[in-house]
Amino acid sequence: MDLIIKNGKIVTETEMFEADIAVKNGKIVAIGKNIDHQAETVIDAMGKLVLPGAIDVHTHLAMPFGGTVSADSYLSGTRAAACGGVTTVFDYPIQRKGNSILSLIDEKKAICETEACVDYAFHCCITDLNDGAILAEMEKAVEEGITSFKCFLVYKKEGMMVDDATFVKLLIRAKELGAMINVHAENPDIIDMNIETFLKEGKTSPWYHYLSRPEFVEAEADKRAVHWAKNFDAALYIVHMADKEGLEAAIDAKRNGNQIYIETCPQYLEFTSAVYQREDGRNFVCSPPMKGQESQDALWNAIRTGGIDTIATDHCPFQSYEKDWGKDDFTKIPNGCAGIENLYPYMLSAANEGKVSFNKVVECCCANPAKIFGCADKGSLTVGKDADIVIYDPDKKFTISVDNMHSDYDHTIWEGKELKGYPVMTISRGKLIFKDGEFLGKPGWGKFVKRVTNN
Ligand code: DUC
Ligand code: ZN
Ligand code: ZN
């Protein structure tokens, strides 16, 4: 054996039990009591939890956005991922209008080949069908293992939005290919109308970022997206769900047998719209914005009751000086916040405090992402799967600070957040890449995850 992890408590999406895990050639080869093979490395996990590595299915690394580029490269973002127990990252490359998505995927793969510190996959964002050429390219993309595509129902002025007809064409095409469409749902016209009014009235603080896109603005687009998916009988994955009304509509559709998946993010579980009243409110500006307490309570409840399928980050950090561009005008604040290194520790701490079960965290952060997005080798501690493993010390106290993160940003919305328990080791395909606060991996270690369709 290459590695044996002994005496730990294994957590799956359904169970928790004491057992050892044996690893060979990057794969889990045995799970059982008192495995007594010889191994090159033996880790004693007494008193620790042994969990699958998390899959962050929503990041924006090195993404041109808001007049700049998001602050984490594929290297620093995946390094931070490793240090937060994330062993697979799904990034969202965005098609430039008129360009091919296949060349975009090639470009991103080439970067990741040398930079990625953990395994990676892509959902490709489509902004333009190029007279149908992209619908044809989607087939090739699926063959290459890109089995999900995203579109934005917002960002009209930014040139990223698709209209409803394009959205429906994508739903239909994805269905033909056994693929899936992911959607960012907010209503662009009402947002732009609100922004115009607020700016005319001199209402320029970050609070008006929230008021320009409050609960009902997201809810309308969530419902519209669900409506089209339902009526064209297509699968739909709603990213970063943040509002109660949209959440309930999506859960209803799911319960009625439609193939709807729902993602939320830790920032919506921890913060409410009250953050936009803070002096540093601009640092929390992301879209959709944090909502009110009622929405937050509904999100937690839906996690506990199975309405929410996945928890991911929407990691898209910007530096303080970039956030400062919007000190006197919220429309100039680049949208996005950090989260890749906080996802798993935050959710596991919530479990440790009794807010949800550890099994539920594994389900939403590991097992469901792997199942929904066709990663056959990932997402659970099972014989035959990749040995992507996190060892978690439930007694370790940790306070998040920009100084103990492993990204390239200079501030974090999570500053000062106290966690109960923290990952102490991350293992990627059998290799130790993080231990006791220190990154031990190397750029280029990460491999492309070629996905398969579920249909
Ligand atoms: N929202 C953000 O806040 N940042 C990146 C893209 C997005 O949709
Ligand atoms: Zn989005
Ligand atoms: Zn996003």
Side-chain angles (χ1 to χ4, degrees):
M1 294 298 155
D2 299 330
L3 167 69
I4 293 183
I5 302 167
K6 293 191 83 64
N7 306 321
K9 192 177 268 184
I10 294 180
V11 187
T12 72
E13 65 268 39
T14 51
E15 290 175 286
M16 218 165 168
F17 54 93
E18 275 162 29
D20 303 341
I21 298 190
V23 174
K24 192 163 177 56
N25 298 330
K27 295 277 183 190
I28 297 173
V29 292
I31 299 177
K33 293 253 184 223
N34 305 318
I35 294 176
D36 68 352
H37 287 286
Q38 294 293 312
E40 215 167 279
T41 308
V42 177
I43 294 173
D44 184 1
M46 180 69 81
K48 312 282 193 299
L49 301 184
V50 181
L51 304 132
I55 303 176
D56 185 351
V57 286
H58 191 155
T59 72
H60 300 278
L61 300 175
M63 182 175 85
F65 195 59
T68 180
V69 176
S70 58
D72 265 327
S73 64
Y74 287 90
L75 197 164
S76 63
T78 56
R79 180 181 65 209
C83 300
V86 169
T87 47
T88 306
V89 166
F90 277 61
D91 196 55
Y92 275 106
I94 301 188
Q95 176 205 18
R96 283 174 293 272
K97 275 194 187 300
N99 286 12
S100 149
I101 57 166
L102 295 175
S103 58
L104 174 65
I105 293 163
D106 287 346
E107 193 187 304
K108 295 295 179 180
K109 272 187 178 170
I111 297 171
C112 285
E113 256 168 45
T114 57
E115 293 196 11
C117 304
V118 297
D119 292 348
Y120 54 92
F122 303 109
H123 317 277
C124 194
C125 293
I126 296 174
T127 59
D128 176 10
L129 297 185
N130 292 356
D131 293 325
I134 297 302
L135 296 173
E137 284 197 356
M138 282 167 74
E139 183 166 14
K140 186 81 196 341
V142 169
E143 281 164 19
E144 285 187 19
I146 316 285
T147 59
S148 45
F149 304 88
K150 179 183 185 183
C151 53
F152 293 96
L153 300 183
V154 277
Y155 300 133
K156 196 174 189 174
K157 286 185 293 195
E158 293 81 352
M160 282 155 48
M161 187 190 96
V162 298
D163 60 20
D164 283 8
T166 305
F167 175 53
V168 167
K169 284 180 195 169
L170 287 167
L171 286 174
I172 293 170
R173 183 62 174 145
K175 184 182 169 185
E176 283 167 4
L177 298 169
M180 177 127 74
I181 296 300
N182 305 353
V183 69
H184 173 144
E186 290 182 288
N187 183 302
D189 296 323
I190 304 303
I191 293 170
D192 289 345
M193 178 192 81
N194 284 337
I195 289 177
E196 202 186 317
T197 309
F198 291 143
L199 291 185
K200 264 195 206 137
E201 293 170 352
K203 294 171 172 165
T204 56
S205 79
W207 178 241
Y208 293 95
H209 172 70
Y210 164 61
L211 284 189
S212 64
R213 43 212 315 157
E215 279 78 345
F216 60 86
V217 167
E218 184 183 333
E220 183 279 335
D222 289 328
K223 289 177 178 176
R224 181 159 38 100
V226 167
H227 176 83
W228 296 133
K230 202 158 101 179
N231 283 285
F232 286 92
D233 193 24
L236 177 69
Y237 179 92
I238 305 176
V239 302
H240 50 45
M241 178 68 81
D243 77 289
K244 180 176 184 228
E245 190 182 336
L247 174 68
E248 286 175 348
I251 291 174
D252 273 356
K254 186 206 289 263
R255 301 258 148 93
N256 284 329
N258 299 285
Q259 212 183 323
I260 307 284
Y261 301 100
I262 307 170
E263 169 195 288
T264 193
C265 313
Q267 56 271 32
Y268 304 117
L269 299 170
E270 176 67 10
F271 305 106
T272 67
S273 49
V275 291
Y276 300 114
Q277 306 262 25
R278 284 169 47 160
E279 190 277 320
D280 62 346
R282 63 188 171 282
N283 292 337
F284 295 79
V285 165
C286 58
S287 292
M290 283 39 135
K291 303 298 199 303
Q293 190 62 54
E294 241 193 295
S295 283
Q296 187 176 95
D297 293 344
L299 292 170
W300 275 112
N301 191 43
I303 290 171
R304 284 187 284 260
T305 54
I308 284 179
D309 301 284
T310 63
I311 305 170
T313 63
D314 201 10
H315 182 79
C316 189
F318 293 98
Q319 305 294 11
S320 302
Y321 79 90
E322 294 164 322
K323 290 288 193 184
D324 288 351
W325 292 336
K327 256 187 166 154
D328 302 316
D329 178 351
F330 70 90
T331 64
K332 297 195 166 63
I333 305 168
N335 285 203
C337 301
I340 203 165
E341 196 167 344
N342 315 113
L343 165 73
Y344 213 24
Y346 175 78
M347 289 310 302
L348 291 169
S349 175
N352 215 1
E353 285 165 348
K355 215 162 177 182
V356 287
S357 69
F358 280 106
N359 307 106
K360 182 53 84 177
V361 176
V362 167
E363 186 186 339
C364 290
C365 297
C366 318
N368 283 349
K371 279 182 209 151
I372 294 169
F373 291 114
C375 308
D377 295 331
K378 304 284 186 193
S380 77
L381 298 181
T382 313
V383 171
K385 299 264 182 194
D386 285 352
D388 294 343
I389 302 169
V390 166
I391 301 182
Y392 179 79
D393 181 351
D395 298 320
K396 187 175 167 131
K397 289 193 170 52
F398 189 89
T399 305
I400 301 173
S401 165
V402 69
D403 300 329
N404 54 29
M405 294 290 99
H406 298 80
S407 278
D408 273 352
Y409 50 71
D410 66 350
H411 70 105
T412 171
I413 58 170
W414 297 98
E415 188 73 36
K417 173 72 188 169
E418 291 178 1
L419 301 177
K420 184 178 173 199
Y422 207 75
V424 288
M425 288 186 208
T426 305
I427 292 158
S428 161
R429 283 179 281 107
K431 182 180 155 63
L432 187 64
I433 59 171
F434 167 78
K435 186 169 184 252
D436 297 331
E438 205 188 328
F439 175 66
L440 301 176
K442 62 174 181 23
W445 166 259
K447 279 202 163 62
F448 174 66
V449 179
K450 185 167 191 238
R451 297 181 286 133
V452 289
T453 62
N454 288 323
N455 301 325

